[in-house]
């Protein structure tokens, strides 16, 4: 991986970030109600509205507003929430931290479960394990997160089982066990859905690799099946798996929004839904921008990992 | 016809075709074959388990869940199809024009689609809904717009393959107009991969539409939309699982049907290009 590849990829990320910020700002500019009307209510006098518009900078042309918003956003200042009248930056960042913990735990669990599962099914192709896994994963990719989350909530948090709390959040610093207890159901939901996606991909990669010439050559050299799978096939199946996991970060972000809503988890997804329901423009812009940038960064990380692991591909 | 026969020989395709036909029939005939009035309250039978009278049980007002799901099939399935058609048509046109023109126009369009695709599709749909306001039709529009860049990329890549073929050069040599070449020569030849992708997208559209309604941003009560039914059932979650299980299973069955049909079509129509999407 050369320095110029890295530079080009970073420039590309910057361009994406810029375009995303334009889209986020542009879409939210289309909001039918003006922020000042929302703060002061429908019956405010025109003078009061004009004064507040001026104070909020809403009387400026859209391009000037975008410039001000962007320069603030770069410095972490996303304005004042219209719903809570608190600065958006700190509250969205702490919500992001909680969501990141949720997402990281889910991803870690998925990697531990989905990759071995996919490899196992791929090596036992056509067997009962393989068939069972493909049926279950088909179900998994066809079940929206909110259905699974609600069913798990009804079953595992219901009075009959009562294994987990139905909603809420405890900080790790306060009580680590209770924190994990609260995180369990959202993490399990996300892990099940993502495992369905990723184990399917790992399986099909494994099947392809096991049929390739170099694996046959390794078998012909007299290496044991185990050695072939672990030293040859697995390593080559990991590359596409990394890309799939990075692409699934997009799913994960969508899943996080839904799951946080179901389990009343105070993360960035719930903030976003609250912002939409309350037409809280600054919060909406900040939340959408941060989520989109997270996804772009995940894709960059996947590209870099790919380039670092696959020596055949010469990135210039 | 040949495609249909090949599809029926493919186990996934046959199962998907059967499921989707059943779903479409339900969506069209739903209100006619519903045994009960979907809005009628049966207070004597609240939270009933499935029985001969109420095949899927009843909800907190004693409304028949089976009838509500049959009636709701129309709004959920047909709206999801509409969203997919919007996204597919927009995306195909943008992709074909971009791929055919090439150069700076292509570069600019592709950079913008890249940026839009850098926004997770549920998030993008949420942003559009925030701008347009919550309603079932706006949710359809939001999903259609969110699908557009992905479809544009696929039809662009097919266009790049088709562009250099002889019959396109022949049309150019005949002096045909740009519109004619794009609409009559290139677009029809991108149909197969676009239909495959579109079919799989229907499953996504169903799930996203239900998710948006669940979040309170799509269909509004008392519509028997499946996602909304689950959202409303949350207040009575521990009394009876049936108000969640029944619409949840309905969503899953429709999504499985379109996923199977899409996979089957992909195997039949173009066995190789499957994994590019």
């Amino acid at each position: 991986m050369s320095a110029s590849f890295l530079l080009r990829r970073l420039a590309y990320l910057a361009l994406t970030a810029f375009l995303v910020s334009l889209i986020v700002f542009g879409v939210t500019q289309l909001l039918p109600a003006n922020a000042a009307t929302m703060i002061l209510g429908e019956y405010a006098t025109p003078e009061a509205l004009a004064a507040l518009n001026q104070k909020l900078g809403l009387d400026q042309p859209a391009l000037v507003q975008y410039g001000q918003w962007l320069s603030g956003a770069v410095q972490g200042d996303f304005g004042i929430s219209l719903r809570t009248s608190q600065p958006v930056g700190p509250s969205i960042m702490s919500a992001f931290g909680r969501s990141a913990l949720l997402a990281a735990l889910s991803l870690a669990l998925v990697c531990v479960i989905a990759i071995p599962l996919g490899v196992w099914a791929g090596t036992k192709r056509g067997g009962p394990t393989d068939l069972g896994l493909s049926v279950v994963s088909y179900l998994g990719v066809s079940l929206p997160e909110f259905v699974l989350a609600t069913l798990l909530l009804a079953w595992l948090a219901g009075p009959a089982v009562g294994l987990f709390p139905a909603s809420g959040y405890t900080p790790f610093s306060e009580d680590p066990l209770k924190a994990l207890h609260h995180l369990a159901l959202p993490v399990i939901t996300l892990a099940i859905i993502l495992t369905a996606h990723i184990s399917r991909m790992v399986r099909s990669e494994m099947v392809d690799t096991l049929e390739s010439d170099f694996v046959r050559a390794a078998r012909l050299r007299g290496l044991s099946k185990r050695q072939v799978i672990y030293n040859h096939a697995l390593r080559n199946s990991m590359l596409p798996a990394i890309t799939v996991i990075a692409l699934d970060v997009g799913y994960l972000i969508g899943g996080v929004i839904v799951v946080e809503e179901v389990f009343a988890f105070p993360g960035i997804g719930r903030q976003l839904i609250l912002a939409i329901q309350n037409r809280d423009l600054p919060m909406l812009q900040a939340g959408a921008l941060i989520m989109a940038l997270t996804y772009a960064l995940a894709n960059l990380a996947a590209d870099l990992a790919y380039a670092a692991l696959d020596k055949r591909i010469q990135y210039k | 016809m040949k495609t249909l026969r090949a599809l029926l020989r493919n186990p996934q395709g046959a199962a998907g075709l059967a499921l989707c036909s059943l779903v479409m029939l339900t969506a069209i005939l739903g209100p006619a074959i519903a045994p009960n009035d979907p809005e009628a309250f049966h207070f004597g039978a609240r939270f009933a388990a499935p029985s001969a009278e109420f095949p899927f049980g009843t909800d907190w007002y004693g409304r028949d869940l089976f009838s509500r799901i049959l009636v709701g099939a129309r709004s959920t399935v047909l709206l999801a199809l509409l969203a997919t058609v919007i996204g597919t048509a927009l995306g195909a046109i943008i992709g074909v024009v971009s791929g055919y023109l090439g150069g700076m126009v292509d570069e600019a369009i592709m950079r913008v689609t890249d940026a839009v695709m850098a926004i997770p599709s549920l998030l993008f749909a949420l942003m559009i809904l925030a701008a347009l306001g919550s309603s079932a039709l706006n949710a359809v529009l939001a999903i259609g717009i969110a699908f557009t860049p992905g479809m544009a990329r696929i039809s662009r890549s097919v266009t790049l393959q088709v562009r250099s073929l002889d019959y396109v050069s022949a049309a150019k040599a005949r002096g045909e107009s740009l519109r004619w070449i794009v609409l009559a020569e290139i677009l029809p030849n991108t149909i197969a991969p676009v239909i495959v992708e579109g079919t799989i997208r229907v499953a996504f559209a169903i799930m996203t539409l239900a998710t948006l309604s669940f979040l309170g941003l799509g269909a509004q009560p008392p519509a028997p939309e499946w996602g909304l039914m689950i959202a409303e059932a949350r207040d009575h979650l521990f009394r009876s699982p049936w108000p969640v299980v029944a619409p949840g299973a309905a969503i899953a069955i429709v999504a499985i049907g379109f996923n199977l049909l899409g996979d089957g079509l992909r195997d039949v129509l173009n066995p190789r290009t499957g994994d590019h999407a």
Side-chain angles (χ1 to χ4, degrees):
Chain A
M1 188 178 9
S2 63
S4 74
F5 166 69
L6 195 65
L7 269 178
R8 226 192 28 211
R9 216 40 204 81
L10 282 175
Y12 181 64
L13 178 75
L15 178 68
T16 307
F18 171 68
L19 285 173
V20 164
S21 78
L22 260 182
I23 293 170
V24 167
F25 189 82
V27 167
T28 47
Q29 279 297 301
L30 301 173
L31 282 177
N34 165 286
T37 327
M38 268 159 12
I39 295 171
L40 296 176
E42 276 177 51
Y43 304 107
T45 60
E47 293 79 29
L49 280 177
L52 189 63
N53 265 332
Q54 196 183 4
K55 194 178 151 222
L56 294 173
L58 296 176
D59 55 343
Q60 307 274 346
L63 208 61
V64 176
Q65 285 190 47
Y66 171 71
Q68 284 168 348
W69 173 71
L70 191 64
S71 69
V74 170
Q75 298 161 36
D77 172 17
F78 289 98
I80 304 289
S81 163
L82 301 180
R83 186 174 64 89
T84 61
S85 305
Q86 301 286 319
V88 169
S91 68
I92 203 93
M93 276 309 169
S94 62
F96 177 74
R98 291 187 284 271
S99 295
L101 181 67
L102 178 63
L105 284 177
S106 311
L107 263 187
L109 198 60
V110 167
C111 289
V112 172
I113 298 171
I115 293 176
L117 214 57
V119 170
W120 191 33
T123 51
K124 303 237 183 305
R125 193 169 150 209
T129 327
D130 185 27
L131 212 66
L133 183 77
S134 58
V135 169
V136 172
S137 66
Y138 228 97
L139 205 69
V141 292
S142 304
L143 200 63
E145 287 92 348
F146 77 92
V147 177
L148 183 65
T150 314
L151 285 175
L152 284 177
L153 176 67
W155 176 38
L156 292 176
V161 180
L163 215 54
F164 299 107
S167 63
Y169 166 78
T170 313
F172 252 94
S173 51
E174 224 168 76
D175 183 348
L177 269 182
K178 215 170 154 202
L180 279 179
H181 206 198
H182 268 131
L183 277 164
L185 275 182
V187 167
I188 292 171
T189 310
L190 290 174
I192 291 177
I193 298 279
L194 285 180
T195 298
H197 276 265
I198 293 173
S199 62
R200 259 166 76 108
M201 294 294 172
V202 173
R203 177 200 169 273
S204 75
E205 286 306 331
M206 198 67 197
V207 168
D208 285 352
T209 319
L210 285 177
E211 281 174 356
S212 64
D213 287 342
F214 79 94
V215 167
R216 203 169 307 134
R219 290 287 291 150
L220 287 174
R221 284 212 313 274
L223 295 177
S224 73
K225 201 170 177 192
R226 206 179 181 55
Q227 270 177 314
V228 172
I229 290 174
Y230 288 100
N231 294 342
H232 290 75
L234 189 58
R235 221 183 279 175
N236 278 278
S237 304
M238 280 306 95
L239 285 175
I242 288 172
T243 321
V244 172
I245 291 173
L247 285 177
D248 263 24
V249 169
Y251 273 107
L252 184 61
I253 289 174
V256 161
I257 297 177
V258 173
V259 162
E260 286 182 358
E261 183 64 20
V262 174
F263 296 106
F265 186 90
I268 192 167
R270 202 168 148 73
Q271 288 282 6
L272 196 79
I273 299 289
L274 277 172
I276 293 173
Q277 284 165 350
N278 295 289
R279 300 256 153 131
D280 185 350
L281 200 61
M283 189 66 95
L284 175 60
Q285 289 168 334
L289 188 66
I290 289 174
M291 283 188 176
L293 286 184
T294 308
Y295 187 38
L297 276 174
N299 280 331
L300 174 70
D303 269 13
L304 296 185
Y306 213 111
L309 286 174
D310 193 339
K311 301 283 186 291
R312 281 170 310 177
I313 303 171
Q314 288 297 312
Y315 293 97
K316 289 178 200 127
Chain B
M1 269 293 101
K2 215 177 92 199
T3 314
L4 190 67
R5 228 174 297 138
L7 193 64
L8 286 174
R9 267 202 301 274
N10 176 303
Q12 286 188 333
L17 196 65
L19 263 180
C20 290
S21 313
L22 187 73
V23 166
M24 291 312 294
L25 264 175
T26 314
I28 295 164
L29 297 177
I33 53 176
N36 288 302
D37 178 357
E39 305 299 333
F41 296 175
H42 303 89
F43 282 115
R46 297 171 69 215
F47 300 112
S51 63
E53 194 189 358
F54 305 114
F56 291 169
T58 60
D59 67 6
W60 50 100
Y61 291 133
R63 290 179 295 193
D64 177 26
L65 286 168
F66 183 59
S67 302
R68 282 179 73 70
I69 283 172
L70 286 184
V71 173
R74 185 170 288 182
S75 52
T76 312
V77 175
L78 295 187
L79 289 183
L81 281 175
L82 182 64
T84 314
V85 168
I86 292 174
T88 307
L90 274 179
I93 292 170
I94 294 175
V96 169
V97 168
S98 173
Y100 182 72
L101 289 179
M104 288 298 284
V105 182
D106 183 40
E107 184 71 14
I109 292 178
M110 283 304 116
R111 281 293 86 79
V112 172
T113 57
D114 274 356
V116 174
M117 285 172 84
I119 304 176
S121 57
L122 180 66
L123 177 62
F124 192 59
L126 285 177
M127 279 163 52
I128 296 170
L129 274 179
L132 298 177
S134 311
S135 82
L137 274 181
N138 284 348
V140 168
L141 205 60
I143 294 172
I145 297 173
F147 278 3
T148 303
M151 298 303 304
R153 303 214 78 173
I154 290 164
S155 44
R156 172 181 175 267
S157 71
V158 182
T159 306
L160 290 181
Q161 293 165 19
V162 172
R163 188 170 71 159
S164 51
L165 295 182
D166 287 342
Y167 65 89
V168 176
S169 314
K172 252 190 265 183
R174 283 203 307 274
E176 301 285 4
S177 69
L178 172 66
R179 192 157 60 167
W180 171 268
I181 293 175
V182 166
L183 289 181
E185 305 285 349
I186 294 185
L187 206 55
N189 289 290
T190 61
I191 292 281
V194 164
I195 283 184
V196 171
E197 182 63 19
T199 311
I200 296 175
R201 290 284 168 129
V202 176
F204 272 116
I206 300 256
M207 290 162 65
T208 314
L209 200 63
T211 302
L212 291 174
S213 296
F214 175 80
L215 294 172
L217 303 170
Q220 300 296 319
E225 203 279 333
W226 298 342
L228 185 64
M229 284 169 71
I230 295 180
E232 291 180 307
R234 287 165 73 197
D235 292 339
H236 315 275
L237 206 49
F238 300 136
R239 292 290 302 276
S240 158
W242 298 106
V244 175
V245 171
I251 297 169
I253 286 171
V254 178
I256 288 174
F258 280 98
N259 270 330
L260 284 171
L261 184 63
D263 284 353
L265 277 174
R266 178 161 65 197
D267 289 349
V268 170
L269 288 177
N270 45 342
R272 278 179 310 107
T273 50
D275 286 325
H276 289 282

